[in-house]
Amino acid sequence: MPRIPYRDEDDPRIGELVEAIKARRGGRLINLDRMLLHSPPFAKGWNALLGAVRRDLALAPRVRELSICAVARLNDAGYEWYQHAPEFLAAGGAQAQLDALDDVAAAAHDARRFDEAERAALQLTLEMTRAVKVADATLERARAAYGERELTELAGTIATYNMVSRFLVALGVDEKDE
């Protein structure tokens, strides 16, 4: 149950913003959007940032979704998991990989389920989420796997979805959308 009520999306004062968010989402709002609508400037910026992360990066969607799902598990963000586990599978990930994310630290060393690049992404996600500071060896391993542009995008995605999960958990956004 949300800790503050969702904003009414039918308020004409925010109609243009609601339409912009719906355009990015394929015609609908989700509970996260309804919560963000309490602050139109914040919702507008969020929509732009998350739109870029989801549509415009060179980073492979499967790696993006793997890191988002790992953040969701590390931060106990059920809503984030609910939204992104299907996206990971749609991007070519396996159910066994999702299941392994119940223990992200172990998954980061699981050569049976994850290739080297995926393990590097998981280790980066783990360190950025838990300690914020990242070991030099972890960063170099990820750079070797992804190059500088995709490493930058991976780190940005991890940081962005840590922001998302903290917002969702703090305000109690419901997992199932209305």
Side-chain angles (χ1 to χ4, degrees):
M1 181 160 190
R3 298 177 81 183
I4 60 176
Y6 299 116
R7 173 93 188 260
D8 179 11
E9 67 188 80
D10 295 324
D11 183 335
R13 295 172 293 175
I14 57 171
E16 189 175 311
L17 173 60
V18 167
E19 290 310 311
I21 296 169
K22 282 182 176 181
R24 179 174 71 86
R25 295 237 186 247
R28 65 183 186 92
L29 295 183
I30 61 174
N31 287 342
L32 170 59
D33 303 321
R34 290 181 187 91
M35 189 64 73
L36 286 164
L37 288 174
H38 284 291
S39 173
F42 207 83
K44 182 180 178 183
W46 192 291
N47 192 48
L49 172 61
L50 276 289
V53 169
R54 298 294 299 278
R55 288 188 315 260
D56 300 337
L57 304 183
L59 184 68
R62 181 173 162 173
V63 176
R64 178 191 68 223
E65 296 301 328
L66 176 63
S67 67
I68 294 168
C69 288
V71 167
R73 281 298 191 234
L74 289 165
N75 291 336
D76 197 24
Y79 184 94
E80 195 167 57
W81 180 265
Y82 176 78
Q83 293 293 326
H84 289 276
E87 295 290 329
F88 175 70
L89 295 173
Q95 184 63 49
Q97 291 174 307
L98 282 178
D99 295 344
L101 294 181
D102 287 344
D103 184 345
V104 176
H109 300 285
D110 184 346
R112 188 170 52 88
R113 289 187 183 95
F114 300 97
D115 66 25
E116 171 55 24
E118 292 166 331
R119 291 191 314 274
L122 288 170
Q123 187 63 38
L124 183 66
T125 303
L126 179 65
E127 291 182 26
M128 284 183 66
T129 303
R130 288 289 188 234
V132 182
K133 291 186 179 184
V134 174
D136 290 342
T138 299
L139 193 66
E140 289 309 313
R141 180 181 178 200
R143 184 192 322 247
Y146 295 102
E148 291 179 355
R149 176 178 175 167
E150 290 182 19
L151 171 57
T152 300
E153 293 176 352
L154 177 58
T157 298
I158 295 164
T160 297
Y161 279 88
N162 267 290
M163 172 189 75
V164 172
S165 65
R166 285 162 169 77
F167 182 87
L168 293 166
V169 172
L171 296 181
V173 176
D174 292 317
E175 287 182 25
K176 303 271 196 275
D177 290 311
E178 298 175 351

